[in-house]
Amino acid sequence: MHLANFTDVKVGNLIQLLQKQATRYPQRDAFIFLKDGETEAGKLTYPALEKRARAIAAQLQRLDMTGKSALMLYPPGLEFIEAFWGCLYAGVVAVPAFQPKRNQKLARLEAMATDAQATLALTTTSVLSNIQQYWGEDPLVKNLQWVATNDIADDLESRWVEPDVSTETLGFLQYTSGSTGSPKGVMVSHG
């Protein structure tokens, strides 16, 4: 079984896909972030993304997160992409979520964290600072381990160990908005 077939590239999981694209297209952009839909605010080549994914994954592996779930709370941008691929590279189930707004309660996030059995949350230093300022005493915030991925050094990439991942391995949980009830998760595999 093959995950994807890009002309002659055959892979069995998303890790292999990015590795092959990084080798095949060392100068090509994998992602370009347009902050207002038109203005380029940053970009990642395939090799740069693969390097960041390995570094973030190595940190997650050091925290013994392989096979576990992590909430992802990011503003729009490339840091989300890096962390998402870092989760895939670590064998961590990514759980993308919207960062809470000041006037919001954390009930939706708590429902997602409980359902996904998340013990860790990934974000940026600025988002983490806001969360600690406004919800620092909330049990959800206190009970999760927090990692600001923009603080993870690139040189950690050499410590990455490729996990045993197949097309059937769970890659991420995509939750509904929960606007009419509790958020419901959809399981998405590497295949």
Side-chain angles (χ1 to χ4, degrees):
M1 177 179 271
H2 295 287
L3 170 78
N5 185 347
F6 296 100
T7 60
D8 63 340
V9 177
K10 295 182 192 280
V11 296
N13 62 53
L14 291 168
I15 296 168
Q16 292 172 1
L17 176 63
L18 183 54
Q19 288 172 333
K20 291 211 185 242
Q21 295 299 84
T23 300
R24 194 168 195 201
Y25 303 113
Q27 303 301 319
R28 191 176 285 181
D29 294 330
F31 291 93
I32 298 172
F33 177 63
L34 305 175
K35 69 178 176 183
D36 57 5
E38 294 181 21
T39 308
E40 185 178 308
K43 57 185 167 183
L44 285 168
T45 63
Y46 285 107
L49 176 57
E50 215 240 338
K51 181 176 183 151
R52 280 304 293 155
R54 285 176 185 244
I56 292 167
Q59 179 64 26
L60 294 173
Q61 289 171 333
R62 287 172 64 185
L63 296 171
D64 194 30
M65 287 298 298
T66 301
K68 299 176 185 171
S69 300
L71 287 178
M72 298 181 58
L73 304 166
Y74 288 88
L78 297 173
E79 289 166 327
F80 168 83
I81 301 294
E82 293 171 347
F84 181 81
W85 282 93
C87 286
L88 295 173
Y89 265 58
V92 171
V93 178
V95 183
F98 289 104
Q99 58 186 9
K101 296 182 177 135
R102 288 185 201 172
N103 58 352
Q104 263 183 327
K105 294 190 178 183
L106 299 182
R108 179 178 184 273
L109 275 180
E110 189 167 345
M112 289 171 61
T114 299
D115 185 65
Q117 299 176 356
T119 57
L120 178 86
L122 302 173
T123 192
T124 64
T125 50
S126 62
V127 171
L128 179 55
S129 177
N130 287 336
I131 288 172
Q132 290 172 332
Q133 180 180 353
Y134 296 105
W135 298 280
E137 297 304 312
D138 189 280
L140 174 68
V141 174
K142 284 183 166 184
N143 293 331
L144 288 173
Q145 183 175 2
W146 292 84
V147 173
T149 54
N150 57 308
D151 287 342
I152 297 173
D154 282 342
D155 63 1
L156 273 181
E157 67 146 333
S158 64
R159 297 184 183 161
W160 174 69
V161 177
E162 188 166 350
D164 184 21
V165 173
S166 72
T167 56
E168 290 79 34
T169 303
L170 182 59
F172 67 98
L173 292 171
Q174 182 65 55
Y175 279 86
T176 61
S177 68
S179 60
T180 60
S182 288
K184 299 195 178 15
V186 175
M187 297 187 294
V188 182
S189 71
H190 277 252

